[in-house]
Structures are given as C-alpha cells and as structure tokens.
Amino acid sequence: MANVEIIDEKTIRIKVTLEDAVTMVQTAALHIDEYASEIVTIYEKMPEFQYTYFCFYAYDSARLFERMLGVDPKEYTSFSLDAPDAFFYALYGGMAGLYEEAKKRVS
C-alpha cells in the first residue's frame, strides 16, 4: 500500500510502488462502471505527460488514485509524489487493457 507521510497540517509526501499501480488496475477492472471515465482519461492523456509525469489532478482523474491512498490529497495545500517509472508504465498498460470496455461505458 502507498506510504503517505503527513509532514504538517498542510503538506503530505506520497510514495508509491509498482504494486500500487497493480492495485489501481485491479480495482479499476473490478469497478469499470465506477472508474470508466478515469480509465479513459488516464489512457488518453498519459502520453502527453511522457507517461511518467502524469498528474491525476490535471484532468479530474484522481478518484482511483485517492482510493488507493486512503487519504484525500486535496485536503492539503501541498503534496509530493515519489513514484518509480515502473508505477506509471504499469498503470498505463493496465488502463490500456481496460480502455475499450471503459470507453463503451462512458456517456
């Protein structure tokens, strides 16, 4: 599970691993209806960020990310994300596998 370190009342530091990406993909796969919009957005927009600089908040696609964290980063004015490239590549690959089904479910 992701490591969320509360620095102070305004700041958190988040550290994720490859396993966290796998958890996000598995959760998305089990709840495609709920996360269809995020699946589509992540798949379509990650290439614009060269995959490893993706910001979940840039396109309002953070619900799946927040579920994995167990905390709402929006409650803080500052947060940093420490993630290996493998996290982003695995996440993108997983979203690619779910993309066609998710796209059918997005209205």
Side-chain angles (χ1 to χ4, degrees), residues 17-18 21 52 83-92:
T17 65
L18 171 63
T52 58
D85 290 353
F87 169 84
F88 293 104
Y89 293 136
L91 181 63
Y92 182 76

Side-chain angles (χ1 to χ4, degrees), residues 6-7 10 12 19 22 46 50 53 60 65 67 79:
I6 298 173
I7 306 299
K10 297 179 181 180
I12 60 173
E19 291 77 15
V22 171
M46 269 186 107
Q50 284 108 32
Y53 299 102
D60 194 27
F65 177 65
R67 180 174 177 165
F79 78 87

Side-chain angles (χ1 to χ4, degrees), residues 32-46:
I32 291 180
D33 284 334
E34 183 177 352
Y35 295 112
S37 178
E38 275 122 340
I39 293 165
V40 169
T41 299
I42 290 168
Y43 175 76
E44 290 179 351
K45 299 299 182 180
M46 269 186 107

